Amino acid sequence: MGIAYDGRDFHGWAAQPESMGLRTVQGEMQRVLGHLFGQQVEIQCAGRTDAGVHARGQVAHMDVTVWPEDVDAGRINRALPDDVRVTSIERTSMDFDARFGAIWRRYTYRVNDDPRGPDPLRRHLVLAHHKSLDIAAMNEAARALLGEHDFAPFCKQREFASTIRTLQRLEWARDDDGAAVMTVQADAFCHSMVRALVGVML
Amino acid sequence: MGIAYDGRDFHGWAAQPESMGLRTVQGEMQRVLGHLFGQQVEIQCAGRTDAGVHARGQVAHMDVTVWPEDVDAGRINRALPDDVRVTSIERTSMDFDARFGAIWRRYTYRVNDDPRGPDPLRRHLVLAHHKSLDIAAMNEAARALLGEHDFAPFCKQREFASTIRTLQRLEWARDDDGAAVMTVQADAFCHSMVRALVGVML
């Protein structure tokens, strides 16, 4: 299942205990799908994004024995709030696992360094930065981070969790609107690693 | 002066009496510029947009005798809220008038007719429509509206105001995201005319 969402009003992907009252993408998806399927469902995604992170191509899966004929992306989306939607649905083999089967995750991070500030219509998609950025210098710095390393300094530590990751791609470029865009791809990311990578390079 | 804004939280362009408590683009601009200039200023735009209308290239002018040296687009934008910004400033002749000097105004209107619904990150930029649109048929209908006509049926009538306008361009196309985009250009528009044109063609 392909999923897109506007992360602004979500406290990240992972469903929280109801008592917390926090809105999450997984929580909304499970609520709507559970209703349409008439039974509780569990949905797993490839990369559990943090609060405020948007998605265009989040991949998730769900193990179900029967898929009701009248449930398609259109019907699910009409039941979902408009800041999250299903972009595609595909039947696959039961051993497919969006989380443990993913061989890479890719994120982009946009930074506006135009002294006039970001385009008002795109301001929630970019970080406003007041110093002009040197794309070539940042790409130079990025090269040193490629490959397999212990990214502990870039991660919010979680006990017993490995912080060794393989960075497959890390590069900066300008988009059509002039924003500096970091594209980063790794076998997996640890908590808040993308933000930390951006942070050290700015 | 070029201006861009996200129209969602504005009650249109035109400043309202303070007692109304309505936030408008002209109101915000005049508040910030008045503060930076140390005197009340009046700013006139080429097309007074309605509530909820966004702008990428609104043109406005202001008659001032002296322009303080330290006031540039960056400084104005830091004082403005982040849903409106000045994209350019140019000194011109005193007889330039953004409103009465404009020879055309152009608007685009985006309609998403994908049954899966709009991209969550662009949902505030498009109208969600549940029926699939026939671009060729809409362009056929659009041709009949071109030229000088009395557009009274498309306008919220205002007493004594002419509703005769010259439609210079009116066409539909698909954008990169698959949305149907109407581009419309006229010497001028009357109140709510763009929305009415979209309405009859859907």
Side-chain angles (χ1 to χ4, degrees):
Chain A
M1 199 180 282
I3 305 176
Y5 46 85
D6 176 342
R8 274 179 294 172
D9 294 336
F10 288 109
H11 291 266
W13 167 270
Q16 302 289 330
E18 246 180 70
S19 58
M20 307 270 289
L22 298 176
R23 203 171 163 250
T24 71
V25 181
Q26 189 187 29
E28 292 283 14
M29 292 288 304
Q30 292 184 167
R31 181 178 60 76
V32 164
L33 288 167
H35 182 73
L36 291 174
F37 277 72
Q39 63 175 86
Q40 211 176 314
V41 295
E42 203 185 312
I43 177 164
Q44 294 297 339
C45 76
R48 290 168 299 170
T49 49
D50 297 334
V53 176
H54 310 308
R56 281 232 145 104
Q58 173 73 276
V59 179
H61 85 274
M62 176 163 94
D63 293 323
V64 289
T65 42
V66 183
W67 188 285
E69 231 179 83
D70 59 343
V71 174
D72 59 7
R75 178 123 187 254
I76 298 170
N77 287 334
R78 282 190 294 279
L80 281 170
D82 68 358
D83 54 358
V84 50
R85 76 163 177 160
V86 172
T87 55
S88 63
I89 297 176
E90 224 175 292
R91 189 193 173 128
T92 178
S93 63
M94 277 308 266
D95 63 356
F96 176 85
D97 189 295
R99 181 171 172 204
F100 295 105
I103 51 175
W104 53 261
R105 281 90 175 169
R106 188 173 60 222
Y107 294 86
T108 55
Y109 198 103
R110 287 163 208 277
V111 182
N112 173 87
D113 62 343
D114 185 318
R116 296 169 304 177
D119 176 349
L121 293 174
R122 290 169 44 84
R123 69 192 189 283
H124 57 288
L125 302 176
V126 300
L127 173 75
H129 188 70
H130 291 298
K131 230 175 55 191
S132 171
L133 297 173
D134 181 340
I135 298 288
M138 291 194 297
N139 276 328
E140 187 68 62
R143 269 190 287 278
L145 293 162
L146 287 177
E148 190 183 73
H149 301 286
D150 184 345
F151 284 94
F154 296 93
C155 303
K156 276 197 192 155
Q157 282 281 359
R158 277 175 171 156
E159 232 178 333
F160 310 123
S162 165
T163 51
I164 294 171
R165 298 286 187 274
T166 302
L167 216 53
Q168 300 159 345
R169 185 178 162 198
L170 180 59
E171 56 198 37
W172 289 85
R174 294 272 172 198
D175 70 8
D176 293 345
D177 292 302
V181 183
M182 182 183 83
T183 301
V184 59
Q185 184 178 311
D187 57 342
F189 290 88
C190 40
H191 189 43
S192 81
M193 180 170 153
V194 174
R195 284 170 212 237
L197 287 169
V198 173
V200 292
M201 280 188 277
L202 290 188
Chain B
M1 199 180 282
I3 305 175
Y5 46 86
D6 176 343
R8 273 179 294 173
D9 295 335
F10 288 109
H11 290 265
W13 167 269
Q16 302 289 329
E18 245 179 70
S19 58
M20 307 271 289
L22 298 177
R23 201 170 165 253
T24 70
V25 181
Q26 188 187 29
E28 292 283 14
M29 292 287 306
Q30 291 183 169
R31 181 179 61 78
V32 164
L33 288 167
H35 181 74
L36 292 173
F37 277 72
Q39 63 175 85
Q40 212 177 313
V41 296
E42 204 185 312
I43 177 162
Q44 295 295 339
C45 76
R48 292 168 298 170
T49 50
D50 297 336
V53 176
H54 309 307
R56 281 234 145 102
Q58 174 73 276
V59 179
H61 84 274
M62 181 163 90
D63 293 325
V64 288
T65 42
V66 184
W67 188 285
E69 232 179 83
D70 58 344
V71 174
D72 59 8
R75 177 125 187 254
I76 297 170
N77 287 334
R78 281 191 294 279
L80 280 170
D82 69 358
D83 54 356
V84 51
R85 75 162 179 161
V86 171
T87 55
S88 62
I89 298 176
E90 224 174 292
R91 190 194 171 124
T92 179
S93 64
M94 277 309 265
D95 62 356
F96 175 85
D97 188 295
R99 180 172 173 203
F100 295 104
I103 50 174
W104 54 259
R105 280 91 173 168
R106 188 172 62 220
Y107 294 86
T108 54
Y109 198 103
R110 285 164 209 276
V111 182
N112 171 87
D113 62 345
D114 185 318
R116 295 170 303 177
D119 177 348
L121 293 174
R122 290 168 45 85
R123 68 190 190 286
H124 55 289
L125 302 174
V126 299
L127 173 74
H129 189 69
H130 291 298
K131 230 173 57 189
S132 171
L133 297 174
D134 181 340
I135 299 289
M138 292 194 296
N139 276 327
E140 187 66 44
R143 268 190 288 278
L145 294 161
L146 287 178
E148 190 182 74
H149 302 286
D150 184 346
F151 284 94
F154 297 94
C155 303
K156 275 196 194 157
Q157 283 280 1
R158 276 174 173 159
E159 233 179 335
F160 310 121
S162 165
T163 51
I164 294 170
R165 299 287 187 275
T166 302
L167 216 53
Q168 300 159 345
R169 185 179 162 197
L170 180 59
E171 57 198 35
W172 288 86
R174 295 271 173 199
D175 70 8
D176 292 344
D177 292 303
V181 183
M182 182 183 82
T183 300
V184 59
Q185 183 178 312
D187 55 344
F189 290 88
C190 41
H191 188 43
S192 80
M193 180 169 152
V194 174
R195 282 170 213 238
L197 287 169
V198 173
V200 293
M201 280 188 279
L202 288 189

